[in-house]
Amino acid sequence: MIPAAFEYYRPKDMTGVLSLLGEHGDNARVIAGGHSLIPMMKLRMADVPHLIDLQGVGGLDDIELSANSIRIGAMVTQHDIIDHNGLASAAPILREAALQIADPQVRYMGTVGGNVANGDPGNDMPGLMQCLDATFTVVGLDGERDIPARQFYEAAYMTAREDEEVLTSITMLIPAGGYAYEKQKRKIGDYATAAAAVLLTKEGNTCKSASIAMTNLSDIPVYSEEAGAALVGSSLDDTAIKAAVTAVLGDIDPSEDNRGPVAFKKHLAGVILRRAIERAWSRA
Amino acid sequence: MSKKQHYKITVNGKEEEFLAEPRELLIHTLRERLKITGPHIGCETSHCGACTVTVNGKSVKSCTVFVAQADGTEITTIEGIGSPDALHPLQEAFKEHHGLQCGFCTPGMIIRASKLLEEIPNPSEEEIRFGMAGNICRCTGYQNIVKSIQAAAAEMNSAKEAAE
């Protein structure tokens, strides 16, 4: 399990990172926690001749809360998310999801930025960020640009971030209402067989807004506008939930793997989504 | 092969300086270069937790860290928390409560548990099981591992109270 040799860099600032990326192009990769990249390098499925470690770059590991928004630096770890009480009260769905990622040791190392930037369909944060309608900020030699999470993912491991850009932070509005991140996995540490992120608001007994995204049921996370729309205006009766499940089943495209055949994944997606909706509603 | 680089890490309070390729895995640095063989290689794929050490206050699977990333860090292994003559309360409790069968996972279990008890000094059974979920015991002796950690927590808490 020894990876191919590489040159290692630990620049002190983002200018240093960007100039290395500019120099080495797609022969270079940045590394944050490394808990997705290093296993792939050990298997020699990822060849990274130039490895640029972000740990020396300051200002990437802050969690900033304002009256109505949240900014999470790319190097904030899953452990930091769980540990931050202010964040957990502002957006409890973040802690709920982070607690279902990997195991304690991996959560100390694994970063939110790496999780969303990697483009692995198995990662939990991309679907969650689409549900939250978060925005990713990337920086390149030409400056910063913002990309909505809902437009970031193009195919497995392919995103709107260019090779010479680095994802630096994630921002979102503080979500209102009820929430749930529901994940079915074979064991602790596993990727989702199916997972659902749901945010709901209610007025009286009527659903006022709904945001639904699914994890690991396609080669990209699936934000289902139609599923959310199926709930809005309803009292979350069985007909409305069934309509949301039908909408999601139309949007996902699972493939058969060691977590099960397509029919099972579709069945499970419905079960998990229903549970997430019911839990979010009970908290709304 | 990339050139060897100069690295400096502090392991169990002792500064170690050496030349290594950046791609060397921290577990190999510890075991083969520094002859610190408490941390074990179980799966080498970041699943089993036998290679767990504490790096700058975090429980880390040392099979999934390059030595280059660990340059400048402080590392604690099982060797750093107790000795045969002066066992750590966790080591004492694992011995007393049969927290090990074959013992292969034990160094990782104990070093992880030491961090868990720092963060949650009086954990419930559920908190122990969740906090130890990154460590696998293939003898499946989890019941006694949980008991050992509970006993160590009680011992450490009463020692702390006595000191206050």
Side-chain angles (χ1 to χ4, degrees):
Chain A
M1 299 293 283
I2 310 293
F6 54 81
E7 296 292 330
Y8 173 87
Y9 311 86
R10 199 190 287 187
K12 296 256 179 292
D13 53 36
M14 191 52 76
T15 314
V17 175
L18 295 176
S19 93
L20 284 164
L21 281 174
E23 186 181 342
H24 299 292
D26 60 6
N27 278 326
R29 284 283 297 271
V30 299
I31 184 168
H35 274 48
S36 297
L37 184 58
I38 293 173
M40 297 304 274
M41 290 173 71
K42 286 165 72 181
L43 292 166
R44 303 210 176 197
M45 291 168 79
D47 181 25
V48 184
H50 298 275
L51 189 67
I52 308 167
D53 193 340
L54 296 178
Q55 69 168 288
V57 179
L60 292 177
D61 55 2
D62 297 323
I63 296 173
E64 292 165 30
L65 294 172
S66 74
N68 61 354
S69 71
I70 298 168
R71 183 180 171 282
I72 299 170
M75 293 287 278
V76 167
T77 64
Q78 308 296 350
H79 178 81
D80 296 333
I81 294 274
I82 294 163
D83 210 32
H84 196 292
N85 288 328
L87 186 65
S89 71
I93 193 170
L94 289 169
R95 180 186 273 178
E96 179 160 295
L99 281 167
Q100 297 179 67
I101 293 173
D103 63 43
Q105 284 94 320
V106 176
R107 291 195 292 267
Y108 281 112
M109 294 297 284
T111 64
V112 182
N115 197 289
V116 299
N118 194 28
D120 184 337
N123 285 347
D124 292 285
M125 288 282 164
L128 176 62
M129 294 305 168
Q130 291 195 339
C131 176
L132 285 158
D133 199 13
T135 299
F136 302 154
T137 301
V138 299
V139 64
L141 287 169
D142 299 331
E144 277 189 350
R145 63 190 181 106
D146 291 337
I147 309 168
R150 291 175 187 172
Q151 290 164 29
F152 189 73
Y153 298 94
E154 296 168 349
Y157 303 102
M158 303 281 286
T159 68
R161 182 187 60 83
E162 300 293 337
D163 284 341
E164 307 77 35
E165 290 177 321
V166 179
L167 192 147
T168 53
S169 69
I170 300 158
T171 49
M172 68 198 75
L173 294 175
I174 290 177
Y179 65 91
Y181 191 78
E182 185 77 28
K183 176 175 175 178
Q184 173 70 41
K185 52 190 174 181
R186 296 170 302 176
K187 64 172 196 55
I188 284 227
D190 194 17
Y191 290 121
T193 307
V198 174
L199 287 170
L200 297 171
T201 58
K202 74 159 104 169
E203 214 169 54
N205 200 34
T206 305
C207 177
K208 200 176 148 212
S209 70
S211 179
I212 292 173
M214 308 296 289
T215 293
N216 216 11
L217 291 162
S218 181
D219 66 344
I220 54 172
V222 174
Y223 168 69
S224 178
E225 197 171 349
E226 210 185 313
L231 299 180
V232 173
S234 79
S235 58
L236 271 272
D237 51 285
D238 195 53
T239 314
I241 294 178
K242 275 186 179 148
V245 168
T246 304
V248 152
L249 291 180
D251 287 342
I252 62 173
D253 183 20
S255 48
E256 178 170 343
D257 60 16
N258 54 8
R259 292 184 184 84
V262 170
F264 170 67
K265 290 189 173 185
K266 286 189 167 169
H267 168 73
L268 188 62
V271 172
I272 292 299
L273 177 57
R274 176 179 283 273
R275 282 186 198 164
I277 291 171
E278 286 172 351
R279 196 142 49 95
W281 189 241
S282 74
R283 290 161 162 173
Chain B
M1 212 165 89
S2 69
K3 268 203 333 236
K4 289 194 174 183
Q5 304 289 324
H6 178 250
Y7 295 118
K8 185 154 78 175
I9 57 178
T10 304
V11 187
N12 301 325
K14 189 176 164 221
E15 212 167 73
E16 305 276 4
E17 289 190 59
F18 50 88
L19 293 171
E21 280 189 75
R23 64 172 164 171
E24 185 169 293
L25 298 171
L26 181 58
I27 184 67
H28 295 146
T29 307
L30 293 172
R31 288 183 57 84
E32 286 160 36
R33 187 177 292 283
L34 305 176
K35 309 296 179 200
I36 296 168
T37 54
H40 288 165
I41 299 174
C43 67
E44 221 185 337
T45 54
S46 58
H47 289 99
C48 79
C51 66
T52 300
V53 299
T54 309
V55 180
N56 284 353
K58 300 169 172 185
S59 299
V60 171
K61 294 179 178 178
S62 59
C63 75
T64 310
V65 178
F66 294 128
V67 65
Q69 295 172 284
D71 187 29
T73 59
E74 290 197 19
I75 296 170
T76 306
T77 70
I78 186 75
E79 286 90 342
I81 68 164
S83 69
D85 300 328
L87 293 177
H88 185 279
L90 274 162
Q91 293 171 310
E92 192 66 50
F94 269 66
K95 184 179 150 194
E96 193 62 30
H97 295 272
H98 304 283
L100 58 146
Q101 290 175 47
C102 86
F104 193 86
C105 70
T106 313
M109 287 284 176
I110 290 182
I111 204 78
R112 169 60 197 145
S114 70
K115 182 70 202 162
L116 176 67
L117 292 185
E118 260 177 47
E119 291 184 350
I120 312 174
N122 194 14
S124 66
E125 177 177 344
E126 196 189 340
E127 285 171 324
I128 292 174
R129 289 185 184 272
F130 193 73
M132 297 299 295
N135 294 72
I136 293 172
C137 166
R138 279 301 75 151
C139 304
T140 70
Y142 295 105
Q143 195 60 42
N144 286 349
I145 290 171
V146 172
K147 271 192 208 160
S148 303
I149 296 170
Q150 285 172 322
E155 172 62 31
M156 289 163 76
N157 290 333
S158 63
K160 203 171 9 171
E161 271 172 35
E164 276 164 7

